[in-house]
Amino acid sequence: MKVFNSKLDNKSNTYRQRRSYMLQLLSELNLRKKQIVEKSPDAVAKLQTRGKYPAREKIRRVLDPGTQPLEAGLFAAWDMYHDIPGGYPSAGTIVQIGRVAGKLAVIVANDPLVKSGAWVEITCKKNLRAQEIAMENRLPIIYMVDSAGVNLERQAEIFPDREHFGRIFRNNAKMAAMGIPQISVVFGFSVAGGAYLPSMSSDLAMITEHSSMFLAGPFLVKAAVGQEVDMETLGGAEMHNAISGVADYRFDTEDEAFAFIRNQMAMLGANSRAPFDRITPEAPQFDPDELLGILPDNAAGTYDMREILARLVDGSRFEEYKPEFGKSIFTGFARLGGFAVGIVANQGMPVKRQMPPDHLGRPQPPQVQMGNVIYSDSANKASHFIMLCNERKIPLIFLHDVTGFMIGKQAENGGIIQDGAQFVNVQANSVVPKLTVVIRNSFGAGNYAMCGKAYDPRLIFGWPTAKIAVMDGGIAADTVLLTKKELSDEERQAFRKKLIDKYNAEASPYFTAARLMIDGILDPRDTRQTLIAGLEMAANNPELGEFKTGVMRM
């Protein structure tokens, strides 16, 4: 593979302007992260007087020292629960993937400082996402339980549907059947249906005078059956260890529980590994810090996606597949953290397409195409490339900057619907691990074809510049206005502005991350390490399944 010949001028005004814009976005990102992560000192002090640690500190004390976990769902529930004082930071649950006793694990910790760990809809969705990551990658999962159960004022959001609370326990059972270790420690409350989660785990530990686990607490028991019983007698650590047998271990302190978790992880037997090729990793030859100055600071700006790739992949080397064909999509092979990977990325600048002769055989001039639009030739190239990677057991990386598939008379006559359908078919049936990063735009069916959330990426993150929507807000507004001929010019302007503002708000990476449409928002400089972490996760599951597409209309 050849080293990419970068043409990025990091001394130019354009670079400095673009970098300044990205730094502004990162400043906002870091401020919002801080607002989520930092807790009230008084609340933390109150926990400590009871011999308890904050949720993030619990996780830190279990992880291997010096290792950096990957967090999923940090921005879950961001700016959503305005009727609840303080909102629901991180949906009241922390999910991290990290190394414990040298082995990768998913860690799920309820945050008792967020409404006593009670669950709302997004909390449920986040826990399901954590279980999904564990199941897809065959990773052990550690539950740090401290939850008052369902937020009873919002029960309709979380109780009866397929992807609601009951799905958690269904997944407990499925993971048990798959042989995935589930280690639970109840650090505080574990109430009502939530008590099934630890009780369905492989191991269950409780902490003396801290833990309580029951289907109904003392107040409900009194109201429903007339019994008066204290919390310890009803469901304390001693009772569940000595009498009911629901729990397996009892500890006097949280520190003892942390040691228990680490010991259980240390004794897990090794799994067979996925058949991915991996060699010694190599750093990129170009500085990843320069990623901050590549993306335009305006919608009309252009850039070369290869400049981004050169600052992500090992040695800044890649072998481009079909470089002269379907140029609005980049496809190529590279290594990332030593892993062989296939890359599918939208181009960020106009490209020239060599046109075939007309019906009389006369040569036609090259056609300039928009880089971030998917044309028929690009769709066909990408479909073939995804099939190649499945044939060769090579994981796939998708980098989004796509405004959708090409439209218009020429595109429709050329069969763009069918070429797009073939692309989506291959994507849906791909069996190798897929990791997705939304760099800038991710609109319409382009989101589907490029492995958006609906197409099962093992991880999906966005940059602060990410926008995910059915289409650009301005185009959406202009389309709708064609149907509103009765409006005056003033009303049309007001309507257009309102709809564009709505689209911009809903396309924001914070909006999509809050609803777990993406797993988080990345500083571009963290992209390489995040993708490597995803590949290391994926390598833990040796089962890929058989790649087949069924009937494909050609």
Side-chain angles (χ1 to χ4, degrees), residues 3-42:
V3 176
F4 177 66
N5 182 23
S6 177
K7 297 178 181 178
L8 184 68
D9 181 2
N10 58 18
K11 300 290 194 300
S12 68
N13 289 334
T14 298
Y15 174 88
R16 286 196 290 266
Q17 186 173 334
R18 292 180 175 188
R19 182 181 179 85
S20 175
Y21 173 68
M22 182 64 80
L23 287 172
Q24 290 177 28
L25 296 179
L26 291 178
S27 178
E28 178 184 36
L29 174 64
N30 292 330
L31 177 62
R32 293 183 174 188
K33 282 182 177 179
K34 185 177 179 180
Q35 292 171 349
I36 292 171
V37 171
E38 290 191 353
K39 299 299 181 183
S40 160
D42 291 342

Side-chain angles (χ1 to χ4, degrees), residues 51-53 57-58 60-62 185 187 207 210 251-263:
K52 294 169 69 71
Y53 292 100
E57 181 64 13
K58 286 189 180 80
R60 191 188 70 80
R61 288 173 178 265
V62 166
V185 175
F187 285 90
I207 301 172
H210 286 195
F251 302 106
D252 292 329
T253 67
E254 291 192 348
D255 287 304
E256 291 178 78
F258 303 147
F260 159 75
I261 292 171
R262 290 186 55 79
N263 187 53

Side-chain angles (χ1 to χ4, degrees), residues 69-113:
L70 175 66
E71 182 156 356
L74 174 65
F75 282 97
W78 172 265
D79 197 31
M80 288 184 66
Y81 294 90
H82 300 121
D83 58 324
I84 298 176
Y88 248 83
S90 277
T93 298
I94 299 160
V95 174
Q96 294 186 358
I97 303 100
R99 293 198 176 273
V100 181
K103 301 180 178 72
L104 275 176
V106 178
I107 306 176
V108 182
N110 301 129
D111 189 345
L113 296 181

Side-chain angles (χ1 to χ4, degrees), residues 50-333:
R50 295 160 53 200
K52 294 169 69 71
Y53 292 100
R56 290 183 181 278
E57 181 64 13
K58 286 189 180 80
I59 295 177
R60 191 188 70 80
R61 288 173 178 265
V62 166
L63 291 169
D64 292 351
T67 60
Q68 184 63 41
L70 175 66
E71 182 156 356
L74 174 65
F75 282 97
W78 172 265
D79 197 31
M80 288 184 66
Y81 294 90
H82 300 121
D83 58 324
I84 298 176
Y88 248 83
S90 277
T93 298
I94 299 160
V95 174
Q96 294 186 358
I97 303 100
R99 293 198 176 273
V100 181
K103 301 180 178 72
L104 275 176
V106 178
I107 306 176
V108 182
N110 301 129
D111 189 345
L113 296 181
V114 180
K115 313 307 173 192
S116 299
W119 291 33
V120 290
E121 181 183 12
I122 299 300
T123 316
C124 186
K125 189 173 182 180
K126 186 170 180 178
N127 278 265
L128 288 170
R129 177 61 175 147
Q131 291 181 320
E132 181 180 59
I133 290 171
M135 294 167 78
E136 286 180 335
N137 300 287
R138 298 297 192 275
L139 294 177
I141 189 165
I142 298 165
Y143 302 109
M144 295 179 167
V145 182
D146 195 344
S147 171
V150 170
N151 185 318
L152 295 180
E153 296 178 50
R154 296 173 175 269
Q155 67 85 25
E157 299 176 1
I158 193 172
F159 171 62
D161 209 346
R162 184 177 184 272
E163 300 299 326
H164 282 179
F165 204 47
R167 190 76 171 182
I168 302 287
F169 320 129
R170 175 263 190 194
N171 287 350
N172 285 137
K174 288 289 187 180
M175 283 190 281
M178 293 165 69
I180 296 174
Q182 301 175 76
I183 302 168
S184 283
V185 175
V186 179
F187 285 90
F189 291 116
S190 182
V191 181
Y196 288 120
L197 185 148
S199 66
M200 294 181 74
S201 297
S202 316
D203 289 307
L204 169 55
M206 299 179 73
I207 301 172
T208 305
E209 297 182 354
H210 286 195
S211 307
S212 55
M213 188 165 62
F214 31 64
L215 296 183
F219 294 122
L220 180 54
V221 169
K222 171 69 173 175
V225 298
Q227 293 180 359
E228 291 194 18
V229 60
D230 64 81
M231 199 171 294
E232 278 294 317
T233 304
L234 182 64
E238 184 175 355
M239 190 282 289
H240 277 308
N241 274 270
I243 299 176
S244 75
V246 169
D248 307 312
Y249 304 90
R250 178 160 68 99
F251 302 106
D252 292 329
T253 67
E254 291 192 348
D255 287 304
E256 291 178 78
F258 303 147
F260 159 75
I261 292 171
R262 290 186 55 79
N263 187 53
Q264 292 295 306
M265 286 293 298
M267 291 193 294
L268 294 181
N271 289 334
S272 55
R273 305 288 286 174
F276 309 138
D277 186 67
R278 190 180 193 185
I279 61 175
T280 302
E282 183 182 357
Q285 294 197 24
F286 301 106
D287 189 353
D289 186 69
E290 292 178 339
L291 288 168
L292 303 188
I294 295 176
L295 276 192
D297 56 348
N298 60 79
T302 63
Y303 67 98
D304 187 350
M305 179 61 82
R306 296 176 185 85
E307 296 284 3
I308 290 176
L309 295 173
R311 288 155 181 83
L312 297 179
V313 302
D314 289 9
S316 301
R317 289 190 296 269
F318 43 75
E319 179 181 302
E320 191 166 351
Y321 172 76
K322 284 186 178 290
E324 298 178 58
F325 183 78
K327 293 182 179 181
S328 71
I329 285 185
F330 171 97
T331 52
F333 298 101

Side-chain angles (χ1 to χ4, degrees), residues 476-485 487 491-492 495-496:
D478 291 339
T479 302
V480 175
L481 280 170
L482 290 174
T483 69
K484 295 185 177 292
K485 299 178 181 179
L487 298 181
E491 289 172 331
R492 294 172 71 84
F495 177 89
R496 189 176 193 277

